[in-house]
Amino acid sequence: MPIRQLSETMINQIAAGEVIERPASVVKELVENALDAGAARVEIVTAGGGLNLIRVTDDGCGIPENELALAIARHCTSKLADNIHDIRSLGFRGEALPSIGSVARLSIRSRTANSDSAAEIGIEGGRVSAVRPAAANRGTTIEVRDLFFATPARLKFMKGERAESSATSDVIKRIAIAFPAVRFTLTGSDRSTLELPATDESPEGRLRRVAQVMGADFPENAIAIDAVRDGVHLAGHVSIPSFSRANALQQYAYVNGRPVRDKLIAGAIRGAFADVLPRDRHAVTVLFLTLDPAIVDVNVHPAKADVRFRDPGLVRGLIVGAIREALANAGTRAATTGAAGMMAAFRPGAASYAHAGPANGHRSYEAAYRASGFAGFDPSRSPQGPLDMGLEDTEFRNGGFGENDQAAFDAGPLHSADARAGQAEAAETLLGMALGAARAQVHENYIVAQTKDSLVIVDQHAAHERLVYEALKNALHARAVPSQMLLLPEIVDLPEEDAERLAMHSKTLARFGLAVERFGPGAVAVRETPSMLGETNVQQLVRDLVDEIADNDTVDTLKERLDKIAATMACHGSVRSGRLLKAEEMNALLRQMEATPGSGTCNHGRPTYIELKLADIERLFGRR
């Protein structure tokens, strides 16, 4: 077959295969055009999941009558000057409208502020109609009907109306978060109305828009992020570890105001939460990256959802470092949803979650209480010794009480007025702390504590597991990891560029106990491995590291393996469920939780405590 020039319609239909994947893609392109036109109000109407009808109306600057024909011509745009490296608008390729018009029935009706009337143009399956007068307010209305009627094979790949409508809603929500000053309305016969009133560009206004999209629970369980490194600014909010989701759909990322789904950003978020969330749970995030357009390429794919950074290591390091610092500085916080679940369970008539028999398969609390006698728990009758919290002896023994107060506490009933006053003062001090004063231990696993305005229930095993893990991890990374020398060096064959990348990180790897050196142009020799790993598959470990270095320019794979071993050691070395604790031991645990970053969740991502406010308790009993 001879080489020939494709027709303009065929070219547009080929382009539509990349730009227009489904109705949500059409909505994305049209809404981005409206925002680039300076719209303060955007209204979207759909029918049939967007396959029958998509109408987008805005109050932007409009399109002059003499430019309507150019608007639907390929590679015609008003948003790009002569510098492809300085892109400051959402759209810039000039492909969306002609691509849509090649596979659907498209009409554009627009009016500028200086025009006395509007003008309209249509395109149906690539055939353009003449420009004609029309009646309209200032702005632009674009109507798309019978999407993919010109390429019916594409219709076979569309999902049901509900799925396509859901995808469209997700697109609007993602865009709306980046433009809080714009009012968005999404309606249609195939959906319930989605209305997002305008707020403002201030941090508070942005957070109100986030609450509109993600629900009121997110701001209450979020931590603010604000960090700058080498001209790259990161801002936004991330959820506390105990507020997570089963998928990553509620992770929103923006680069210079553009919604993106970038693997590097998603991997950095996952790495930042690796220590506090299990692999099957995902943080809720809204992150805004602002940087010079010259150091980010948004022209990777026609859909413009992918980006490439000139220095990906800088961006990844900024995200991971900023999130981890924010989590460390956030102190001890429990998710408000835990209290809401507890409230629901406590309400009269709620389903009972109690089960017959002792908790965790251990002896009943009453039996343990009778065995220990009325004087309290006797360590001599316990199979375990006193709980070692890693504190100094006097601090551990007193558990936050002064000497006189502790003596009065050990003496049983108080007969001294001075002792009673001293203990009351010490108790008042503990009540003012974040996790309060321990009052009881129930079901041999849960510590009940009281603060000035709330009731706190702590899972002693989960809490101590986190404390032990953090101590092990800090000790692990405070000095070089002990290594063991291999009897015979392990030779790993690699492509030359991979061997070079690995050699460049050899000093960092040596800190983690892995001694690697070049062994010819296409191989490396491994002489030492971390002793914590024991017998390990060196070949697979090295190849995993090479893949991560190629993707992210980091060696976190080895660090994650060592941390996983530390987490396992912490799980088996922490205080077990069924262990009776004395009051000072419980208070010592609470104090160390307050001083340990990330103590709101255990190593597996489960919450370590739940807080119920006094006002909620009073509401349960009808006192409010």
Side-chain angles (χ1 to χ4, degrees):
M1 183 180 291
I3 299 174
R4 62 187 180 87
Q5 176 72 42
L6 295 176
S7 67
E8 189 69 21
T9 299
M10 183 69 72
I11 292 172
N12 288 334
Q13 288 179 343
I14 292 173
E18 293 183 309
V19 179
I20 309 303
E21 299 176 357
R22 60 194 306 185
S25 305
V26 175
V27 173
K28 171 183 176 295
E29 297 292 341
L30 299 184
V31 171
E32 286 182 349
N33 284 343
L35 295 171
D36 285 337
R41 188 190 74 253
V42 180
E43 298 176 358
I44 306 99
V45 178
T46 66
L51 293 171
N52 297 339
L53 169 69
I54 297 173
R55 183 188 302 121
V56 177
T57 305
D58 67 69
D59 60 350
C61 62
I63 305 173
E65 181 178 351
N66 60 345
E67 294 182 5
L68 278 176
L70 281 177
I72 57 173
R74 199 158 178 261
H75 300 318
C76 295
T77 181
S78 62
K79 305 168 188 177
L80 189 63
D82 297 328
N83 187 2
I84 190 65
H85 303 295
D86 189 24
I87 297 173
R88 300 180 182 274
S89 58
L90 296 175
F92 59 89
R93 297 173 63 98
E95 288 183 327
L97 291 178
S99 296
I100 297 170
S102 68
V103 297
R105 295 180 173 88
L106 171 72
S107 68
I108 305 174
R109 186 167 62 252
S110 188
R111 177 181 175 181
T112 63
N114 300 325
S115 177
D116 294 332
S117 62
E120 184 176 11
I121 191 171
I123 176 171
E124 182 175 326
R127 296 188 299 274
V128 181
S129 63
V131 178
R132 56 187 180 274
N137 295 324
R138 175 180 178 271
T140 302
T141 298
I142 299 181
E143 193 171 280
V144 180
R145 291 185 178 274
D146 302 328
L147 185 62
F148 299 128
F149 89 94
T151 53
R154 294 293 299 275
L155 291 172
K156 299 177 183 178
F157 297 93
M158 296 298 106
K159 299 180 180 179
E161 286 189 14
R162 185 184 298 273
E164 297 300 339
S165 297
S166 177
T168 299
S169 298
D170 183 62
V171 164
I172 297 301
K173 290 175 181 178
R174 285 187 178 273
I175 296 176
I177 288 176
F179 295 87
V182 179
R183 179 180 179 268
F184 293 87
T185 305
L186 176 60
T187 60
S189 59
D190 56 346
R191 67 174 66 251
S192 58
T193 300
L194 171 67
E195 187 167 352
L196 303 174
T199 59
D200 56 71
E201 297 286 353
S202 67
E204 295 77 14
R206 285 185 176 274
L207 195 56
R208 288 198 298 272
R209 169 54 60 84
V210 170
Q212 292 173 3
V213 172
M214 303 174 67
D217 285 342
F218 177 70
E220 297 174 355
N221 296 279
I223 305 169
I225 303 289
D226 193 352
V228 179
R229 184 183 299 177
D230 294 342
V232 181
H233 181 216
L234 176 68
H237 291 80
V238 299
S239 63
I240 59 177
S242 53
F243 185 86
S244 61
R245 292 289 183 268
N247 56 48
L249 292 179
Q250 291 208 8
Q251 290 183 355
Y252 298 87
Y254 302 85
V255 176
N256 290 341
R258 180 189 305 279
V260 298
R261 294 180 182 271
D262 187 72
K263 289 196 304 181
L264 183 143
I265 296 175
I269 294 172
R270 188 168 54 251
F273 282 90
D275 277 351
V276 293
L277 284 180
R279 287 187 174 273
D280 61 342
R281 302 297 296 178
H282 301 267
V284 182
T285 63
V286 179
L287 296 177
F288 298 90
L289 277 167
T290 306
L291 64 166
D292 186 347
I295 61 176
V296 58
D297 183 7
V298 300
N299 192 29
V300 177
H301 187 273
K304 305 183 289 295
D306 297 324
V307 295
R308 295 292 181 271
F309 299 99
R310 180 179 296 178
D311 189 349
L314 168 65
V315 175
R316 189 182 193 281
L318 173 62
I319 294 173
V320 174
I323 292 178
R324 287 183 175 174
E325 182 180 1
L327 291 175
N329 294 337
T332 306
R333 289 178 60 183
T336 58
T337 52
M342 186 189 299
M343 288 276 291
F346 278 161
R347 284 195 177 91
S352 173
Y353 295 95
H355 54 83
N360 302 310
H362 298 288
R363 58 181 181 168
S364 69
Y365 181 74
E366 291 79 2
Y369 181 73
R370 287 195 299 271
S372 64
F374 293 104
F377 177 64
D378 183 356
S380 65
R381 289 197 293 271
S382 171
Q384 304 183 56
L387 174 61
D388 181 6
M389 294 304 302
L391 305 174
E392 295 295 331
D393 288 346
T394 54
E395 185 179 356
F396 163 72
R397 185 168 59 248
N398 294 339
F401 291 96
E403 291 185 7
N404 294 334
D405 305 323
Q406 186 64 37
F409 178 83
D410 292 335
L414 295 174
H415 301 289
S416 165
D418 292 338
R420 286 197 299 271
Q423 189 181 27
E425 183 180 349
E428 187 67 22
T429 301
L430 292 180
L431 290 176
M433 296 184 176
L435 297 180
R439 294 305 191 203
Q441 181 190 26
V442 296
H443 294 294
E444 303 175 87
N445 185 55
Y446 300 103
I447 298 171
V448 180
Q450 174 190 349
T451 70
K452 288 185 176 179
D453 63 349
S454 64
L455 175 74
V456 177
I457 302 177
V458 178
D459 183 330
Q460 67 187 36
H461 171 67
H464 194 235
E465 182 180 355
R466 166 58 67 178
L467 301 182
V468 174
Y469 173 54
E470 291 296 331
L472 284 172
K473 190 173 61 173
N474 291 337
L476 185 65
H477 301 307
R479 52 183 170 79
V481 175
S483 61
Q484 59 182 6
M485 183 174 291
L486 300 180
L487 184 62
L488 294 174
E490 184 91 24
I491 309 302
V492 184
D493 294 321
L494 297 169
E496 187 172 352
E497 60 272 17
D498 287 342
E500 180 63 29
R501 291 192 191 103
L502 202 62
M504 291 174 61
H505 287 80
S506 59
K507 289 185 178 179
T508 303
L509 292 172
R511 283 193 62 250
F512 292 112
L514 188 69
V516 178
E517 60 184 44
R518 292 296 294 271
F519 192 78
V524 295
V526 180
R527 300 190 179 276
E528 299 177 17
T529 60
S531 57
M532 287 179 65
L533 293 181
E535 294 186 10
T536 185
N537 187 335
V538 177
Q539 298 272 346
Q540 188 61 48
L541 173 61
V542 170
R543 287 190 167 85
D544 288 346
L545 286 169
V546 165
D547 291 341
E548 178 158 1
I549 292 171
D551 286 344
N552 303 316
D553 197 30
T554 68
V555 292
D556 283 351
T557 294
L558 181 56
K559 178 178 177 294
E560 288 174 2
R561 291 198 181 189
L562 297 176
D563 286 347
K564 185 176 181 180
I565 293 174
T568 302
M569 295 169 61
C571 184
H572 293 289
S574 59
V575 60
R576 311 304 298 173
S577 299
R579 167 77 179 277
L580 291 176
L581 303 180
K582 296 198 297 186
E584 57 265 32
E585 290 178 314
M586 291 188 284
N587 278 308
L589 179 65
L590 299 178
R591 301 293 79 77
Q592 196 162 351
M593 286 178 64
E594 293 166 348
T596 303
S599 63
T601 57
C602 73
N603 308 345
H604 311 292
R606 295 191 297 268
T608 57
Y609 75 96
I610 294 174
E611 183 177 18
L612 187 62
K613 293 295 184 182
L614 178 60
D616 294 331
I617 298 174
E618 292 178 338
R619 195 175 295 114
L620 282 172
F621 287 97
R623 300 175 69 92
R624 287 200 172 198

